[in-house]
Amino acid sequence: MADPTRRGPPDAHASSTGRALTGGDRLDSHFEMARPEYAAQLRAVGIRPGWRVLDAACGSGSFLPWLAELVGPLGALAALDLAPDSAALVERRAPAWALPCPLEVAVGTVLGLPYPDASFDAVWFANTSQYLTDAELATALAEFRRVVRPGSLVALKEADGTLTRILPGPPGLVLRAVVGWAAAGEAQWRGCLRAAALPSWLRRAGFGGVRGRATLIERAAPLDPVTRHHLRNTLIFAAAHAADLDLPAADAALWARLRDPAAVEQFLDDPDFYTSEGNILAVGVVPPA
Ligand SMILES: C[S@@+](CC[C@H](N)C(=O)[O-])C[C@H]1O[C@@H](n2cnc3c(N)ncnc32)[C@H](O)[C@@H]1O
């Protein structure tokens, strides 16, 4: 398991491609914490029974059982990820999921999908636009548009770095850290700051009927064990990673305090502890060919 105290990216909690925060253990703990809100976001896309759906950048595959429920026995799923270890993990997990429909797993990139034109009824692309540069995001959207049949859907879900808060602490604490990491050249954080604009990215890529909506995932003390486990690791990681940033004194003092795992436990026990995480869902319809 990744060591949460190790100093920040580029490879903290990484999968085999070395991208930060893509390792299966972290993906899973984050997913478990956010489960009800993530399920609601996926249900809001409009995926229908009988559809063939691509889970693009599937990671450890946590969305696949829900996708399978939506498409049912007459549907089909494809799952693709850049990291060979993610694809292998999905292959290993699939039998236990007992999906009602067929699943095809591939290693590949969203920048050049290994599928024919109009071969899907929908693409689900979750928590991964953050890893793409602007030029790569435009390429990925063109690829999604190419592989989905006209009149059907492309859905992007992404964490919005402007909506993450932790309390008690200085207002804007997390946003200033995310902006600092982005300014330091960590492309992933720039991607989280871009999330609110994803509906506009879909419009510019030629999609119609675009809709966008933010969901706030809020958790407050007392925390359940799953949430606590995820937040403990996340706070220790963030505090270590914030050490090099040029921040206001109150921010720097709180991050310095949270570099001590015992202080993190105390922080999470605070009856006033609260955290929110924003997630954008942006859905567009592929125009007629
Ligand atoms: C944060 S994880 C999200 C996984 C999953 N979609 C989820 O929400 O749980 C990001 C995933 O994107 C994959 N990834 C990054 N860049 C990619 C690319 N260009 N093409 C395909 N997958 C990519 C990583 O390997 C990783 O599994």
Side-chain angles (χ1 to χ4, degrees):
M1 175 163 168
D3 172 1
T5 62
R6 220 171 46 69
R7 199 66 170 263
D11 62 347
H13 310 284
S15 62
S16 55
T17 54
R19 290 173 185 231
L21 306 180
T22 61
D25 53 343
R26 188 183 189 282
L27 287 190
D28 291 345
S29 78
H30 196 179
F31 189 93
E32 287 309 316
M33 183 192 107
R35 186 173 265 279
E37 289 88 353
Y38 279 12
Q41 285 193 296
L42 180 58
R43 279 197 306 271
V45 172
I47 292 169
R48 313 292 310 161
W51 278 14
R52 180 164 192 257
V53 177
L54 170 63
D55 185 356
C58 60
S60 47
S62 300
F63 283 102
L64 289 166
W66 289 337
L67 283 165
E69 246 174 66
L70 291 173
V71 302
L74 299 180
L77 296 177
L80 169 131
D81 201 278
L82 188 63
D85 60 338
S86 297
L89 187 57
V90 170
E91 299 267 23
R92 277 202 307 281
R93 284 180 169 174
W97 291 328
L99 303 180
C101 62
L103 167 68
E104 197 188 289
V105 183
V107 175
T109 176
V110 295
L111 306 180
L113 290 170
Y115 307 106
D117 295 1
S119 51
F120 291 100
D121 299 295
V123 167
W124 170 247
F125 186 53
N127 304 319
T128 304
S129 73
Q130 62 183 281
Y131 295 95
L132 306 183
T133 63
D134 284 357
E136 288 171 339
L137 179 57
T139 301
L141 294 183
E143 277 297 88
F144 298 158
R145 187 176 154 174
R146 179 183 69 76
V147 301
V148 171
R149 69 172 167 83
S152 212
L153 304 176
V154 169
L156 318 173
K157 176 212 166 297
E158 191 52 272
D160 180 342
T162 67
L163 294 175
T164 303
R165 293 175 292 177
I166 52 170
L167 292 170
L173 172 88
V174 178
L175 178 57
R176 280 187 294 278
V178 170
V179 167
W181 292 324
E186 291 176 18
Q188 177 197 352
W189 301 106
R190 276 204 298 276
C192 286
L193 294 172
R194 186 180 54 195
L198 285 174
S200 138
W201 275 85
L202 283 172
R203 272 182 217 104
R204 285 203 305 276
F207 290 85
V210 173
R211 54 196 159 96
R213 181 161 186 193
T215 295
L216 210 53
I217 298 176
E218 296 180 289
R219 300 290 183 267
L223 300 171
D224 63 80
V226 168
T227 302
R228 194 180 173 102
H229 170 77
H230 175 71
L231 290 174
R232 180 195 301 120
N233 283 353
T234 301
L235 285 174
I236 291 172
F237 166 75
H241 193 41
D244 298 331
L245 295 177
D246 185 14
L247 294 169
D251 291 18
L254 180 51
W255 289 125
R257 190 180 130 214
L258 296 177
R259 283 200 278 284
D260 172 6
V264 171
E265 298 294 351
Q266 275 173 5
F267 191 61
L268 294 173
D269 280 335
D270 189 321
D272 291 328
F273 178 82
Y274 165 91
T275 184
S276 74
E277 179 188 303
N279 276 269
I280 303 296
L281 175 68
V283 184
V285 179
V286 175

